[in-house]
């Protein structure tokens, strides 16, 4: 959840670390802090609240030396252990003032470790699990300092710091990315990871460590992704990696194919608005090169044979939040195209109910970040049961795709706003492609049938661009409704997950009571919520699809309207049947039934962002949330 960055090089570290934190703030913004090694001493500063609070303090009364040191670490926090206060902000410093540590994750055996450290007379100055790592590291360094030549793997001058980190990591249980600096090892930052991401940026004249590449993309596009249970030590001109036992190890080298400008706001007030506007391009990029000359769909990494896919007799989709809603849509497509039963499950529930899985089960894990812990744990559970796992992910080389048998990457580019927008649309596209691939491999769809769906998908960027140009009335309506207390969403078939997604966007951004329902369920209870004037957003399927589906939801709209609801109807251009019952009509381009969520979701994203703006909320960083949920 938290964002971490480290730098060792020839330039002042503070500015570099703060720039990195600015780009990582989407990962958490409960507090921020930095530690710089300068003149053989540590200089730290940290503050509760957003990064701006820390920057203000640094600007008003910078600690001596903090601007000079060329080795530093920084942290932006999403609180787990201990409330979001100054004292719980990272870095945490050892009792002897020598070591500063930052951490992303949860150390599960921290209570035992804390008791052990306290027994040595150390008084803790925070409520965090992280602080015990700082004290343990300092103790290991003290004992290693007395024993020369403890380790050769990382170079004589800096080896003790890496060895101390390895010793500590071997004692930790849980999930962690850790970075540490030692006042007596100037010029080096040590990092370690287990079940939590860490990448190295290889610069010239300096190297970087960070939760993700956006922290250092303005300095270098050459990166190394660290493997599980590895320790890395960076200096200005070297990167050395070992496993926790001290054996030399390697990470995965990669080149970052987007640049810093892709992570900037580009003239929009919020990243979310930019990301909504980027959807036509994101969809187009995700489709790029997917169809071979022979009409076959291509995934990115496939460690499964066609026979493995033919043997599949059941599909489970696991995901969280918005990605889960993409999964719900996918169920309709997979079952329709392949006739394989498909279940969609919240990743956080999946393994706890002991699902029936075997070699012929395909588990599809959908995750923008590729680091969501609930989804990762569901995936691991599936693998333990010998199921095949296919990942749909936006982050190249993240843990979820790495641990999967096959991968299809969405090419959405960086999504910075906490609320998913282009991630959802590109996940849908990727899911459709997976469904088509399965259908093709199993011989239940002909190449020309697949090509005609792909053709429809390829028309989507143009439809989306046209749709985005018509959003002004949606924004007007959002401002008009910004004061209401409840908004309900209804839909049928693939419109039902769209209703859930619309409600989720409004909840997370506008902090408003919003609920999505399957329209047919209304009469079984939720219709009692409707009062005079309650806005109900109705997602209507194409009349050109299944006529009965369309007729049924038109009846549902009439039912809510008869009870006083103010109806906001999202319907296909030219759908005249809804006109008498729509207090507000939002027309979307004509789209085949199964693909309709690609267009019907967009007005709901625009609506939620505008309501949140009108209510004075921070659209990109809603309260209590973080972009990447790396704890269970
Ligand atoms: C919704 O707007 C959120 N960003 C959230 O629900 C998100 O989709 C969920 O946390 C899953 O994230 P992932 O795709 O990175 O796994």
């Amino acid at each position: 959840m938290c964002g971490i960055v480290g730098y060792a090089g020839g330039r002042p570290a503070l500015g570099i670390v703060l720039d990195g934190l600015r780009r990582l703030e989407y990962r958490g913004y409960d507090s921020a802090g930095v530690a710089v090694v300068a003149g053989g001493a540590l200089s730290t500063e940290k503050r509760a609240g957003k990064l701006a609070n820390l920057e203000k303090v640094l600007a008003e009364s910078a600690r001596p030396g903090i601007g000079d040191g060329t080795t530093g670490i920084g942290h932006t926090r999403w609180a787990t252990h201990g409330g979001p206060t100054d004292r719980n902000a990272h870095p945490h410093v050892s009792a002897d003032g020598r070591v500063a540590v930052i951490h992303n994750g949860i150390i599960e055996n921290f209570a035992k470790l804390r008791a052990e450290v306290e027994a040595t007379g150390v008084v803790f100055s925070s409520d965090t699990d992280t602080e015990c790592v700082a004290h343990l590291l300092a103790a290991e360094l003290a004992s290693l300092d007395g024993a020369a030549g403890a380790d050769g793997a990382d170079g004589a001058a800096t080896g003790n710091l890496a060895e101390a980190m390895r010793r500590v990591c071997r004692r930790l249980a849980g999930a962690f990315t850790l970075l540490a600096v030692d006042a007596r090892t100037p010029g080096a930052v040590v990092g370690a990871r287990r079940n939590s991401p860490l990448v190295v940026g290889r610069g010239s004249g300096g190297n970087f460590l960070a939760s993700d590449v956006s922290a250092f993309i303005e300095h270098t596009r050459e990166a190394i992704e660290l493997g599980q249970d590895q320790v890395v030590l960076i200096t200005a001109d070297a990167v050395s990696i070992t496993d926790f036992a001290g054996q030399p190890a390697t990470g995965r080298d990669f080149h970052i194919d987007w640049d810093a400008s892709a992570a900037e706001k580009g003239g929009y007030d919020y990243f979310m608005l930019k990301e909504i506007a980027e959807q036509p391009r994101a969809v187009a990029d995700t489709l790029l090169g997917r169809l071979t000359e022979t009409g076959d769909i291509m995934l990115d990494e496939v460690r499964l044979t066609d026979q493995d896919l033919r043997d599949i007799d059941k599909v489970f989709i696991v995901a969280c939040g918005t990605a889960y809603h993409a999964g719900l849509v996918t169920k309709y497509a997979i079952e329709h195209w392949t006739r394989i039963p498909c279940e969609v499950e919240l990743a956080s529930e999946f393994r706890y109910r002991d699902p029936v899985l075997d070699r012929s089960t395909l588990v599809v894990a959908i995750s923008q970040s590729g680091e969501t812990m609930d989804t990762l744990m569901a995936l691991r559970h599936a693998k333990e049961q010998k199921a095949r796992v296919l990942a749909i992910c936006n982050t190249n080389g993240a843990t979820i795709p790495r641990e999967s048998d096959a991968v299809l990457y969405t090419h959405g580019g960086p999504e910075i706003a906490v609320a998913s927008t282009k991630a959802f649309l590109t996940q849908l596209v990727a899911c459709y492609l997976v469904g088509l691939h399965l259908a093709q491999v199993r011989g239940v769809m002909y190449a020309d049938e697949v090509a005609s769906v792909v053709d429809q998908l390829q028309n989507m960027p143009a439809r989306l661009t046209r749709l985005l140009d018509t959003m002004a009335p949606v924004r007007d309506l959002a401002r008009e409704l910004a004061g209401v207390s409840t908004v309900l969403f209804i839909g049928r078939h693939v419109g039902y997950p769209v209703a859930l997604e619309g409600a989720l966007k409004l909840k997370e951004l506008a902090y408003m009571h919003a609920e999505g329902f399957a329209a047919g369920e209304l009469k079984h209870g939720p219709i009692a919520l409707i009062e005079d004037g309650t806005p109900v957003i109705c997602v209507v399927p194409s009349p050109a699809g299944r006529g009965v589906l369309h007729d049924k939801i038109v009846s549902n709209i009439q039912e809510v309207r008869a009870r006083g609801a103010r109806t906001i109807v999202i319907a296909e251009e030219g759908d005249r049947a809804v006109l008498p019952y729509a207090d507000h009509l939002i027309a979307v381009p004509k789209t085949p039934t199964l693909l309709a969520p690609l267009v019907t979701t967009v007005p709901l994203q625009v609506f939620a962002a505008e309501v949140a703006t009108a209510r004075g909320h921070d659209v990109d960083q809603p309260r209590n949330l973080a972009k990447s949920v790396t704890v269970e």
Side-chain angles (χ1 to χ4, degrees), residues 588-617:
V588 296
K590 202 167 160 38
T591 306
T593 304
L594 282 170
L595 310 188
L598 287 168
V599 288
T600 49
T601 309
V602 174
L604 303 182
Q605 300 168 341
V606 173
F607 181 78
E610 194 66 27
V611 173
T613 309
R615 287 166 82 106
H617 298 164

PDB file of all heavy atoms in Angstrom, residues 588-617:
ATOM      1  N   VAL A 588     -25.763   6.711 -25.475  1.00  0.00           N
ATOM      2  CA  VAL A 588     -24.424   6.156 -25.754  1.00  0.00           C
ATOM      3  C   VAL A 588     -24.446   5.518 -27.148  1.00  0.00           C
ATOM      4  O   VAL A 588     -25.505   5.094 -27.624  1.00  0.00           O
ATOM      5  CB  VAL A 588     -23.997   5.107 -24.697  1.00  0.00           C
ATOM      6  CG1 VAL A 588     -23.845   5.736 -23.326  1.00  0.00           C
ATOM      7  CG2 VAL A 588     -24.981   3.939 -24.632  1.00  0.00           C
ATOM      8  N   PRO A 589     -23.279   5.441 -27.802  1.00  0.00           N
ATOM      9  CA  PRO A 589     -23.263   4.880 -29.160  1.00  0.00           C
ATOM     10  C   PRO A 589     -23.751   3.427 -29.188  1.00  0.00           C
ATOM     11  O   PRO A 589     -23.562   2.672 -28.227  1.00  0.00           O
ATOM     12  CB  PRO A 589     -21.784   4.949 -29.551  1.00  0.00           C
ATOM     13  CG  PRO A 589     -21.184   5.964 -28.663  1.00  0.00           C
ATOM     14  CD  PRO A 589     -21.953   5.930 -27.385  1.00  0.00           C
ATOM     15  N   LYS A 590     -24.357   3.075 -30.307  1.00  0.00           N
ATOM     16  CA  LYS A 590     -24.858   1.717 -30.529  1.00  0.00           C
ATOM     17  C   LYS A 590     -23.694   0.728 -30.415  1.00  0.00           C
ATOM     18  O   LYS A 590     -22.661   0.899 -31.055  1.00  0.00           O
ATOM     19  CB  LYS A 590     -25.429   1.681 -31.956  1.00  0.00           C
ATOM     20  CG  LYS A 590     -26.412   0.619 -32.227  1.00  0.00           C
ATOM     21  CD  LYS A 590     -27.083   0.960 -33.577  1.00  0.00           C
ATOM     22  CE  LYS A 590     -27.743  -0.232 -34.236  1.00  0.00           C
ATOM     23  NZ  LYS A 590     -28.422  -1.174 -33.417  1.00  0.00           N
ATOM     24  N   THR A 591     -23.864  -0.293 -29.581  1.00  0.00           N
ATOM     25  CA  THR A 591     -22.781  -1.257 -29.308  1.00  0.00           C
ATOM     26  C   THR A 591     -23.387  -2.634 -29.075  1.00  0.00           C
ATOM     27  O   THR A 591     -24.431  -2.731 -28.413  1.00  0.00           O
ATOM     28  CB  THR A 591     -22.018  -0.822 -28.017  1.00  0.00           C
ATOM     29  OG1 THR A 591     -21.597   0.526 -28.179  1.00  0.00           O
ATOM     30  CG2 THR A 591     -20.802  -1.680 -27.747  1.00  0.00           C
ATOM     31  N   PRO A 592     -22.772  -3.706 -29.555  1.00  0.00           N
ATOM     32  CA  PRO A 592     -23.323  -5.043 -29.306  1.00  0.00           C
ATOM     33  C   PRO A 592     -23.483  -5.312 -27.802  1.00  0.00           C
ATOM     34  O   PRO A 592     -22.668  -4.854 -26.991  1.00  0.00           O
ATOM     35  CB  PRO A 592     -22.272  -5.983 -29.896  1.00  0.00           C
ATOM     36  CG  PRO A 592     -21.517  -5.152 -30.867  1.00  0.00           C
ATOM     37  CD  PRO A 592     -21.551  -3.750 -30.353  1.00  0.00           C
ATOM     38  N   THR A 593     -24.515  -6.073 -27.461  1.00  0.00           N
ATOM     39  CA  THR A 593     -24.911  -6.272 -26.055  1.00  0.00           C
ATOM     40  C   THR A 593     -23.735  -6.585 -25.131  1.00  0.00           C
ATOM     41  O   THR A 593     -23.550  -5.928 -24.109  1.00  0.00           O
ATOM     42  CB  THR A 593     -25.933  -7.425 -25.968  1.00  0.00           C
ATOM     43  OG1 THR A 593     -27.009  -7.083 -26.837  1.00  0.00           O
ATOM     44  CG2 THR A 593     -26.441  -7.621 -24.559  1.00  0.00           C
ATOM     45  N   LEU A 594     -22.937  -7.593 -25.475  1.00  0.00           N
ATOM     46  CA  LEU A 594     -21.883  -8.023 -24.544  1.00  0.00           C
ATOM     47  C   LEU A 594     -20.797  -6.963 -24.367  1.00  0.00           C
ATOM     48  O   LEU A 594     -20.123  -6.917 -23.340  1.00  0.00           O
ATOM     49  CB  LEU A 594     -21.243  -9.326 -25.027  1.00  0.00           C
ATOM     50  CG  LEU A 594     -22.049 -10.598 -24.772  1.00  0.00           C
ATOM     51  CD1 LEU A 594     -21.435 -11.783 -25.511  1.00  0.00           C
ATOM     52  CD2 LEU A 594     -22.136 -10.911 -23.273  1.00  0.00           C
ATOM     53  N   LEU A 595     -20.620  -6.121 -25.359  1.00  0.00           N
ATOM     54  CA  LEU A 595     -19.554  -5.104 -25.288  1.00  0.00           C
ATOM     55  C   LEU A 595     -20.054  -3.777 -24.715  1.00  0.00           C
ATOM     56  O   LEU A 595     -19.270  -2.847 -24.500  1.00  0.00           O
ATOM     57  CB  LEU A 595     -18.956  -4.855 -26.678  1.00  0.00           C
ATOM     58  CG  LEU A 595     -18.527  -6.083 -27.505  1.00  0.00           C
ATOM     59  CD1 LEU A 595     -17.777  -5.625 -28.758  1.00  0.00           C
ATOM     60  CD2 LEU A 595     -17.638  -7.016 -26.698  1.00  0.00           C
ATOM     61  N   ALA A 596     -21.359  -3.691 -24.464  1.00  0.00           N
ATOM     62  CA  ALA A 596     -21.957  -2.411 -24.065  1.00  0.00           C
ATOM     63  C   ALA A 596     -21.315  -1.779 -22.821  1.00  0.00           C
ATOM     64  O   ALA A 596     -21.222  -0.546 -22.742  1.00  0.00           O
ATOM     65  CB  ALA A 596     -23.458  -2.592 -23.850  1.00  0.00           C
ATOM     66  N   PRO A 597     -20.827  -2.571 -21.817  1.00  0.00           N
ATOM     67  CA  PRO A 597     -20.220  -1.908 -20.656  1.00  0.00           C
ATOM     68  C   PRO A 597     -19.069  -0.973 -21.010  1.00  0.00           C
ATOM     69  O   PRO A 597     -18.772  -0.041 -20.277  1.00  0.00           O
ATOM     70  CB  PRO A 597     -19.725  -3.094 -19.806  1.00  0.00           C
ATOM     71  CG  PRO A 597     -20.679  -4.198 -20.145  1.00  0.00           C
ATOM     72  CD  PRO A 597     -20.949  -4.035 -21.617  1.00  0.00           C
ATOM     73  N   LEU A 598     -18.441  -1.211 -22.161  1.00  0.00           N
ATOM     74  CA  LEU A 598     -17.348  -0.317 -22.570  1.00  0.00           C
ATOM     75  C   LEU A 598     -17.843   1.106 -22.779  1.00  0.00           C
ATOM     76  O   LEU A 598     -17.089   2.064 -22.603  1.00  0.00           O
ATOM     77  CB  LEU A 598     -16.703  -0.829 -23.867  1.00  0.00           C
ATOM     78  CG  LEU A 598     -15.834  -2.080 -23.737  1.00  0.00           C
ATOM     79  CD1 LEU A 598     -15.495  -2.645 -25.106  1.00  0.00           C
ATOM     80  CD2 LEU A 598     -14.555  -1.763 -22.979  1.00  0.00           C
ATOM     81  N   VAL A 599     -19.105   1.257 -23.155  1.00  0.00           N
ATOM     82  CA  VAL A 599     -19.619   2.629 -23.327  1.00  0.00           C
ATOM     83  C   VAL A 599     -20.498   3.071 -22.148  1.00  0.00           C
ATOM     84  O   VAL A 599     -20.422   4.226 -21.726  1.00  0.00           O
ATOM     85  CB  VAL A 599     -20.383   2.814 -24.664  1.00  0.00           C
ATOM     86  CG1 VAL A 599     -19.436   2.806 -25.842  1.00  0.00           C
ATOM     87  CG2 VAL A 599     -21.480   1.785 -24.847  1.00  0.00           C
ATOM     88  N   THR A 600     -21.299   2.158 -21.592  1.00  0.00           N
ATOM     89  CA  THR A 600     -22.253   2.611 -20.563  1.00  0.00           C
ATOM     90  C   THR A 600     -21.550   3.018 -19.251  1.00  0.00           C
ATOM     91  O   THR A 600     -22.097   3.790 -18.464  1.00  0.00           O
ATOM     92  CB  THR A 600     -23.302   1.516 -20.271  1.00  0.00           C
ATOM     93  OG1 THR A 600     -22.644   0.272 -20.061  1.00  0.00           O
ATOM     94  CG2 THR A 600     -24.279   1.380 -21.413  1.00  0.00           C
ATOM     95  N   THR A 601     -20.333   2.519 -19.034  1.00  0.00           N
ATOM     96  CA  THR A 601     -19.612   2.870 -17.799  1.00  0.00           C
ATOM     97  C   THR A 601     -19.100   4.313 -17.821  1.00  0.00           C
ATOM     98  O   THR A 601     -18.990   4.951 -16.769  1.00  0.00           O
ATOM     99  CB  THR A 601     -18.408   1.918 -17.617  1.00  0.00           C
ATOM    100  OG1 THR A 601     -18.880   0.581 -17.738  1.00  0.00           O
ATOM    101  CG2 THR A 601     -17.753   2.087 -16.265  1.00  0.00           C
ATOM    102  N   VAL A 602     -18.765   4.788 -19.016  1.00  0.00           N
ATOM    103  CA  VAL A 602     -18.066   6.082 -19.102  1.00  0.00           C
ATOM    104  C   VAL A 602     -18.861   7.234 -18.478  1.00  0.00           C
ATOM    105  O   VAL A 602     -18.316   8.011 -17.671  1.00  0.00           O
ATOM    106  CB  VAL A 602     -17.668   6.372 -20.572  1.00  0.00           C
ATOM    107  CG1 VAL A 602     -17.089   7.764 -20.726  1.00  0.00           C
ATOM    108  CG2 VAL A 602     -16.671   5.318 -21.037  1.00  0.00           C
ATOM    109  N   PRO A 603     -20.162   7.393 -18.790  1.00  0.00           N
ATOM    110  CA  PRO A 603     -20.885   8.512 -18.153  1.00  0.00           C
ATOM    111  C   PRO A 603     -20.901   8.401 -16.629  1.00  0.00           C
ATOM    112  O   PRO A 603     -20.918   9.425 -15.939  1.00  0.00           O
ATOM    113  CB  PRO A 603     -22.313   8.374 -18.702  1.00  0.00           C
ATOM    114  CG  PRO A 603     -22.228   7.466 -19.870  1.00  0.00           C
ATOM    115  CD  PRO A 603     -20.999   6.637 -19.730  1.00  0.00           C
ATOM    116  N   LEU A 604     -20.849   7.167 -16.114  1.00  0.00           N
ATOM    117  CA  LEU A 604     -20.874   6.997 -14.657  1.00  0.00           C
ATOM    118  C   LEU A 604     -19.559   7.453 -14.028  1.00  0.00           C
ATOM    119  O   LEU A 604     -19.536   7.992 -12.917  1.00  0.00           O
ATOM    120  CB  LEU A 604     -21.167   5.530 -14.308  1.00  0.00           C
ATOM    121  CG  LEU A 604     -22.471   4.983 -14.901  1.00  0.00           C
ATOM    122  CD1 LEU A 604     -22.709   3.552 -14.476  1.00  0.00           C
ATOM    123  CD2 LEU A 604     -23.655   5.855 -14.479  1.00  0.00           C
ATOM    124  N   GLN A 605     -18.463   7.248 -14.755  1.00  0.00           N
ATOM    125  CA  GLN A 605     -17.160   7.743 -14.261  1.00  0.00           C
ATOM    126  C   GLN A 605     -17.179   9.272 -14.229  1.00  0.00           C
ATOM    127  O   GLN A 605     -16.764   9.898 -13.245  1.00  0.00           O
ATOM    128  CB  GLN A 605     -16.042   7.285 -15.205  1.00  0.00           C
ATOM    129  CG  GLN A 605     -15.896   5.782 -15.349  1.00  0.00           C
ATOM    130  CD  GLN A 605     -14.978   5.395 -16.511  1.00  0.00           C
ATOM    131  OE1 GLN A 605     -14.725   6.191 -17.424  1.00  0.00           O
ATOM    132  NE2 GLN A 605     -14.478   4.167 -16.481  1.00  0.00           N
ATOM    133  N   VAL A 606     -17.663   9.864 -15.330  1.00  0.00           N
ATOM    134  CA  VAL A 606     -17.692  11.330 -15.434  1.00  0.00           C
ATOM    135  C   VAL A 606     -18.600  11.891 -14.342  1.00  0.00           C
ATOM    136  O   VAL A 606     -18.264  12.878 -13.661  1.00  0.00           O
ATOM    137  CB  VAL A 606     -18.196  11.752 -16.839  1.00  0.00           C
ATOM    138  CG1 VAL A 606     -18.405  13.252 -16.925  1.00  0.00           C
ATOM    139  CG2 VAL A 606     -17.220  11.270 -17.912  1.00  0.00           C
ATOM    140  N   PHE A 607     -19.736  11.252 -14.149  1.00  0.00           N
ATOM    141  CA  PHE A 607     -20.713  11.690 -13.144  1.00  0.00           C
ATOM    142  C   PHE A 607     -20.073  11.701 -11.751  1.00  0.00           C
ATOM    143  O   PHE A 607     -20.138  12.694 -11.020  1.00  0.00           O
ATOM    144  CB  PHE A 607     -21.916  10.739 -13.195  1.00  0.00           C
ATOM    145  CG  PHE A 607     -23.019  11.080 -12.230  1.00  0.00           C
ATOM    146  CD1 PHE A 607     -23.918  12.104 -12.502  1.00  0.00           C
ATOM    147  CD2 PHE A 607     -23.177  10.364 -11.039  1.00  0.00           C
ATOM    148  CE1 PHE A 607     -24.952  12.417 -11.612  1.00  0.00           C
ATOM    149  CE2 PHE A 607     -24.194  10.670 -10.146  1.00  0.00           C
ATOM    150  CZ  PHE A 607     -25.081  11.696 -10.432  1.00  0.00           C
ATOM    151  N   ALA A 608     -19.432  10.598 -11.386  1.00  0.00           N
ATOM    152  CA  ALA A 608     -18.850  10.490 -10.034  1.00  0.00           C
ATOM    153  C   ALA A 608     -17.753  11.525  -9.827  1.00  0.00           C
ATOM    154  O   ALA A 608     -17.676  12.167  -8.771  1.00  0.00           O
ATOM    155  CB  ALA A 608     -18.305   9.078  -9.824  1.00  0.00           C
ATOM    156  N   ALA A 609     -16.895  11.707 -10.840  1.00  0.00           N
ATOM    157  CA  ALA A 609     -15.798  12.678 -10.693  1.00  0.00           C
ATOM    158  C   ALA A 609     -16.360  14.086 -10.500  1.00  0.00           C
ATOM    159  O   ALA A 609     -15.859  14.866  -9.682  1.00  0.00           O
ATOM    160  CB  ALA A 609     -14.895  12.631 -11.924  1.00  0.00           C
ATOM    161  N   GLU A 610     -17.444  14.400 -11.215  1.00  0.00           N
ATOM    162  CA  GLU A 610     -18.002  15.751 -11.137  1.00  0.00           C
ATOM    163  C   GLU A 610     -18.732  15.965  -9.804  1.00  0.00           C
ATOM    164  O   GLU A 610     -18.629  17.038  -9.208  1.00  0.00           O
ATOM    165  CB  GLU A 610     -18.935  15.980 -12.330  1.00  0.00           C
ATOM    166  CG  GLU A 610     -19.322  17.421 -12.558  1.00  0.00           C
ATOM    167  CD  GLU A 610     -18.157  18.324 -12.957  1.00  0.00           C
ATOM    168  OE1 GLU A 610     -17.186  17.826 -13.546  1.00  0.00           O
ATOM    169  OE2 GLU A 610     -18.228  19.538 -12.645  1.00  0.00           O
ATOM    170  N   VAL A 611     -19.453  14.954  -9.329  1.00  0.00           N
ATOM    171  CA  VAL A 611     -20.121  15.091  -8.021  1.00  0.00           C
ATOM    172  C   VAL A 611     -19.052  15.325  -6.941  1.00  0.00           C
ATOM    173  O   VAL A 611     -19.196  16.196  -6.076  1.00  0.00           O
ATOM    174  CB  VAL A 611     -20.969  13.841  -7.685  1.00  0.00           C
ATOM    175  CG1 VAL A 611     -21.516  13.936  -6.261  1.00  0.00           C
ATOM    176  CG2 VAL A 611     -22.132  13.676  -8.662  1.00  0.00           C
ATOM    177  N   ALA A 612     -17.964  14.537  -7.019  1.00  0.00           N
ATOM    178  CA  ALA A 612     -16.900  14.673  -6.012  1.00  0.00           C
ATOM    179  C   ALA A 612     -16.290  16.063  -6.060  1.00  0.00           C
ATOM    180  O   ALA A 612     -16.039  16.690  -5.023  1.00  0.00           O
ATOM    181  CB  ALA A 612     -15.830  13.615  -6.258  1.00  0.00           C
ATOM    182  N   THR A 613     -16.064  16.573  -7.271  1.00  0.00           N
ATOM    183  CA  THR A 613     -15.489  17.919  -7.406  1.00  0.00           C
ATOM    184  C   THR A 613     -16.445  18.946  -6.805  1.00  0.00           C
ATOM    185  O   THR A 613     -16.039  19.825  -6.044  1.00  0.00           O
ATOM    186  CB  THR A 613     -15.240  18.257  -8.895  1.00  0.00           C
ATOM    187  OG1 THR A 613     -14.514  17.179  -9.470  1.00  0.00           O
ATOM    188  CG2 THR A 613     -14.463  19.537  -9.065  1.00  0.00           C
ATOM    189  N   ALA A 614     -17.734  18.799  -7.141  1.00  0.00           N
ATOM    190  CA  ALA A 614     -18.725  19.759  -6.633  1.00  0.00           C
ATOM    191  C   ALA A 614     -18.805  19.700  -5.111  1.00  0.00           C
ATOM    192  O   ALA A 614     -19.088  20.703  -4.463  1.00  0.00           O
ATOM    193  CB  ALA A 614     -20.086  19.463  -7.255  1.00  0.00           C
ATOM    194  N   ARG A 615     -18.549  18.536  -4.536  1.00  0.00           N
ATOM    195  CA  ARG A 615     -18.590  18.412  -3.071  1.00  0.00           C
ATOM    196  C   ARG A 615     -17.256  18.808  -2.431  1.00  0.00           C
ATOM    197  O   ARG A 615     -17.076  18.674  -1.219  1.00  0.00           O
ATOM    198  CB  ARG A 615     -18.958  16.976  -2.679  1.00  0.00           C
ATOM    199  CG  ARG A 615     -20.439  16.677  -2.939  1.00  0.00           C
ATOM    200  CD  ARG A 615     -20.752  15.207  -2.883  1.00  0.00           C
ATOM    201  NE  ARG A 615     -20.955  14.663  -1.555  1.00  0.00           N
ATOM    202  CZ  ARG A 615     -22.124  14.314  -1.033  1.00  0.00           C
ATOM    203  NH1 ARG A 615     -23.224  14.478  -1.743  1.00  0.00           N
ATOM    204  NH2 ARG A 615     -22.212  13.821   0.172  1.00  0.00           N
ATOM    205  N   GLY A 616     -16.308  19.206  -3.273  1.00  0.00           N
ATOM    206  CA  GLY A 616     -15.033  19.716  -2.756  1.00  0.00           C
ATOM    207  C   GLY A 616     -14.058  18.639  -2.334  1.00  0.00           C
ATOM    208  O   GLY A 616     -13.170  18.869  -1.499  1.00  0.00           O
ATOM    209  N   HIS A 617     -14.182  17.436  -2.897  1.00  0.00           N
ATOM    210  CA  HIS A 617     -13.288  16.352  -2.499  1.00  0.00           C
ATOM    211  C   HIS A 617     -12.067  16.258  -3.406  1.00  0.00           C
ATOM    212  O   HIS A 617     -12.096  16.719  -4.544  1.00  0.00           O
ATOM    213  CB  HIS A 617     -14.030  15.015  -2.542  1.00  0.00           C
ATOM    214  CG  HIS A 617     -15.178  14.953  -1.585  1.00  0.00           C
ATOM    215  ND1 HIS A 617     -16.155  14.010  -1.661  1.00  0.00           N
ATOM    216  CD2 HIS A 617     -15.500  15.733  -0.526  1.00  0.00           C
ATOM    217  CE1 HIS A 617     -17.031  14.204  -0.697  1.00  0.00           C
ATOM    218  NE2 HIS A 617     -16.656  15.250   0.005  1.00  0.00           N
TER     219      HIS A 617
END
